[in-house]
Each structure stands twice: as C-alpha cells, then as structure tokens.
Amino acid sequence: MGDWFQSITDLDAEVDEAGPLAESITAWLVSVTVISAERTDCVLGADLGHPPGPGGSAVVEEPDLLPWGSRTNGVSIHIGRKVFTTVDEDSRLVCPGCHRVGEWRDARGDESAQAARFSEVLTDWLGGGGSRLDCLGCGLASRLNDWRWSGTPWAFAALGLTFWNWPSLRPDFVTEFGHRLGGHRIRSVSGKL
Ligand SMILES: [Zn+2]
C-alpha cells in the first residue's frame, strides 16, 4: 500500500511571490469546489491540508477512485524552497548541454563528484542562493530545473501543491495551473510514500 502523491510545482515563482500565488490558487480551487476552504489533518508532510470537495470529480481521470473515505485525502500547499522528489531511484541528472548522465555513485560505490556538486548547489539554493549546477563533463552551468533527468524529473520550487491519494489529475487541469500562476512553468511530480 502506501500513500500516493501528485505535486504540481511552480518552477518560476520566487520565494516572495509564493505566498500571494498560493492564496490566489487556493481561492480558485475553493471557488470551483475542488477543495474545501477548511483545513484539517488530511495530508502527510504538513500539519493541515484542504479536504477534497465535490468539484474534485471534474479534475481527475478516474473520479470513482477519489479517496473520499480515506484519512489521507487532502491537498497540502507548500510555500518556501523545497525539492519535490519522486521515489524513482533510477532517475539521474542528465546535462542539457552534452547529455552526459551524472551517476549518483562512481565505480567504487562512493558518491560521485557530480552528485557531490549537486548536493552543494542544492544546499546553497535551499538557503537562498543560486541554483546553477556546472556539468563536470562539459562545464556548462545550468539551473537545477533546466537539467534533464534520465527518468522522472525532480522539481526545485518555492511553491507546490500536493494531492494525496487522488487519481491522476487531468492534463487540462494541470495546464490551467500554469495559466493561474501567471504563465509560470509548472512541473508535475508524483510518487509514493
Ligand atoms: Zn555537460
């Protein structure tokens, strides 16, 4: 079993924009009854989330599978820089310039130099710094969100909404998020806890 999650993240929102954007997105979701305005203990990874509303049926691929009766069935909203990861352990960073695959571990099983560099940049970014990670193959420095992935991509974002145990969100609903976020790039990340 386990709990399935889908996060919609905003790749462009700055930290100071995330709060107001979260408010407007929440107001929209409440107005179309995708979520309830109240907040309850219905999510993981946060104290409170918004329970699903009747409009939730219109935004998922399989409405019959909405987890109405489950304890973990709400939507949590995260504001502040966060890495939205998947549980796809096979997914590796791929340089957008030279397409070199940055293995997490080297031939001896130790953390690879590229992985160590990634960790440094990630820590720096989480602390408010920039997100440019240089490729040890070609030297190209790309922002973390501009790196490709060999499998499921991660997202590095200051704003993200996570739907807990909902069936797959409809693509047009996900696209609407981008419009509602002022045309920002969005990235969906999903996985299981
Ligand atoms: Zn490269």
Side-chain angles (χ1 to χ4, degrees):
M1 286 298 289
D3 289 284
W4 169 253
F5 64 85
Q6 299 168 77
S7 297
I8 300 178
T9 68
D10 182 327
L11 301 185
D12 293 321
E14 300 293 342
V15 172
D16 57 354
E17 295 176 291
L21 285 171
E23 276 182 32
S24 74
I25 280 285
T26 304
W28 164 53
L29 293 174
V30 169
S31 74
V32 293
T33 73
V34 168
I35 57 175
S36 304
E38 60 173 336
R39 297 200 305 155
T40 64
D41 179 12
C42 62
V43 296
L44 300 178
D47 290 338
L48 297 171
H50 296 270
S57 299
V59 303
V60 296
E61 298 279 15
E62 297 175 277
D64 292 347
L65 298 182
L66 270 168
W68 297 109
S70 300
R71 183 173 176 281
T72 304
N73 66 359
V75 177
S76 56
I77 300 168
H78 185 87
I79 297 168
R81 289 185 172 182
K82 175 181 163 71
V83 193
F84 292 82
T85 62
T86 67
V87 288
D88 181 0
E89 292 179 358
D90 293 332
S91 194
R92 291 171 173 77
L93 286 162
V94 179
C95 173
C98 69
H99 307 293
R100 173 177 171 275
V101 177
E103 299 287 345
W104 295 122
R105 305 208 165 271
D106 63 22
R108 293 186 306 181
D110 297 331
E111 183 182 42
S112 73
Q114 187 73 67
R117 189 80 191 99
F118 168 72
S119 296
E120 282 175 20
V121 172
L122 180 58
T123 301
D124 193 39
W125 176 74
L126 287 169
S131 77
R132 288 194 184 277
L133 169 64
D134 51 310
C135 169
L136 299 185
C138 71
L140 179 70
S142 308
R143 290 178 301 181
L144 289 173
N145 281 319
D146 292 332
W147 278 73
R148 310 278 166 73
W149 291 79
S150 66
T152 316
W154 295 8
F156 306 86
L159 172 62
L161 282 79
T162 300
F163 295 72
W164 289 96
N165 290 318
W166 286 41
S168 294
L169 299 170
R170 291 172 53 101
D172 54 339
F173 175 63
V174 176
T175 301
E176 178 70 11
F177 264 85
H179 298 317
R180 298 270 170 182
L181 291 167
H184 285 178
R185 293 173 301 157
I186 54 172
R187 181 173 291 170
S188 298
V189 173
S190 58
K192 195 173 235 188
L193 278 191

